[in-house]
Amino acid sequence: EVQLLESGGGLVQPGGSLRLSCAASGFTFSSYAMSWVRQAPGKGLEWVSSITGSGGSTYHADSVKGRFTISRDNSKNTLYLQMNSLRVEDTAVYYCAKDPFYGFDVWGQGTTVTVS
Amino acid sequence: EIVLTQSPATLSLSPGERATLSCRASQSVSSYLAWYQQKPGQAPRLLIYDASNRATGIPARFSGSGSGTDFTLTISSLEPEDFAVYYCQQRTNWPRYTFGQGTKLEIK
């Protein structure tokens, strides 16, 4: 079964840091780009960051550029999001998603980040 | 940035009725448009990609159409489990995806 399982969320003060992890199983992890998408409370979906299968290219939304860093360890089938200089407006549920380039076909259950 | 505008914001229908949801792009996205369903407390689920292709395991009552700037998601006969929020998403400049603001499909 294809599965993504996020962890690492929690409560952090403004200016603090968190690292999210996403453990993948059931597919060839290194063959797919992966992304992080967030959803603020009661709001819609926002693309945050993406990384190619090899990890050689990374992309970040302007709202997080310079503060967040996406990375992956293909030997561990794990995706990461390092979040620094956190702001109140970063409060959201963060989802990792498998990205076969036509959309997000597999999603994790989400991990909640609260900046307060 | 391409802006996606979904309408209506809320759609109230009864089980068995036909639902038509709209997504309009601020500039052409060709056929690079996807639709997602999200139920409360759950992650989104991919329904349709590239405007009209059903994702794996999606029932045939869901269909997508359109190209350029105007797109439609149609649910031919609503089942109780279809009441949820629906989002459109474009991918013309991978991976800088943008999403619409969502349409809430509620039971009348």
Side-chain angles (χ1 to χ4, degrees):
Chain A
E1 180 189 4
V2 177
Q3 198 168 11
L4 299 172
L5 186 62
E6 301 99 334
S7 60
L11 174 63
V12 62
Q13 292 184 338
S17 298
L18 277 177
R19 188 176 84 153
L20 306 184
S21 299
C22 170
S25 59
F27 65 99
T28 305
F29 182 67
S30 60
S31 294
Y32 292 93
M34 296 292 294
S35 297
W36 290 96
V37 177
R38 68 184 180 184
Q39 187 168 36
K43 302 298 184 182
L45 301 168
E46 180 188 15
W47 169 75
V48 174
S49 302
S50 294
I51 187 168
T52 54
S54 66
S57 296
T58 61
Y59 308 83
H60 297 87
D62 290 343
S63 58
V64 306
K65 196 172 295 182
R67 301 187 298 123
F68 290 12
T69 302
I70 189 172
S71 63
R72 65 192 296 160
D73 185 337
N74 286 343
S75 69
K76 295 182 178 179
N77 288 351
T78 303
L79 175 72
Y80 302 101
L81 185 68
Q82 178 66 44
M83 304 187 295
N84 298 330
S85 303
L86 282 160
R87 304 169 179 169
V88 171
E89 55 265 33
D90 295 319
T91 294
V93 175
Y94 284 74
Y95 297 101
C96 66
K98 174 173 167 279
D99 184 357
F101 297 120
Y102 55 74
F104 302 128
D105 65 342
V106 181
W107 296 66
Q109 86 290 349
T111 188
T112 300
V113 172
T114 303
V115 185
S116 177
Chain B
E1 177 183 295
I2 296 175
V3 176
L4 300 178
T5 302
Q6 293 186 239
S7 62
T10 303
L11 184 59
S12 300
L13 294 170
S14 300
E17 290 193 293
R18 182 184 186 90
T20 303
L21 287 67
S22 175
C23 178
R24 176 165 289 179
S26 58
Q27 62 190 79
S28 177
V29 299
S30 185
S31 294
Y32 299 139
L33 191 104
W35 290 94
Y36 296 84
Q37 176 194 67
Q38 188 178 33
K39 298 179 181 179
Q42 297 185 16
R45 176 174 69 147
L46 178 66
L47 299 175
I48 301 288
Y49 64 92
D50 290 350
S52 61
N53 296 289
R54 271 191 303 277
T56 302
I58 302 304
R61 66 180 181 272
F62 291 91
S63 63
S65 63
S67 66
T69 61
D70 290 296
F71 298 85
T72 300
L73 174 69
T74 301
I75 309 171
S76 59
S77 179
L78 285 165
E79 298 287 341
E81 62 267 28
D82 297 337
F83 292 92
V85 178
Y86 292 83
Y87 294 95
C88 58
Q89 175 207 44
Q90 66 83 25
R91 65 171 182 93
T92 52
N93 183 22
W94 187 90
R96 301 190 181 282
Y97 297 103
T98 56
F99 292 90
Q101 83 281 11
T103 290
K104 182 180 181 180
L105 178 57
E106 65 177 23
I107 300 176
K108 187 174 182 180

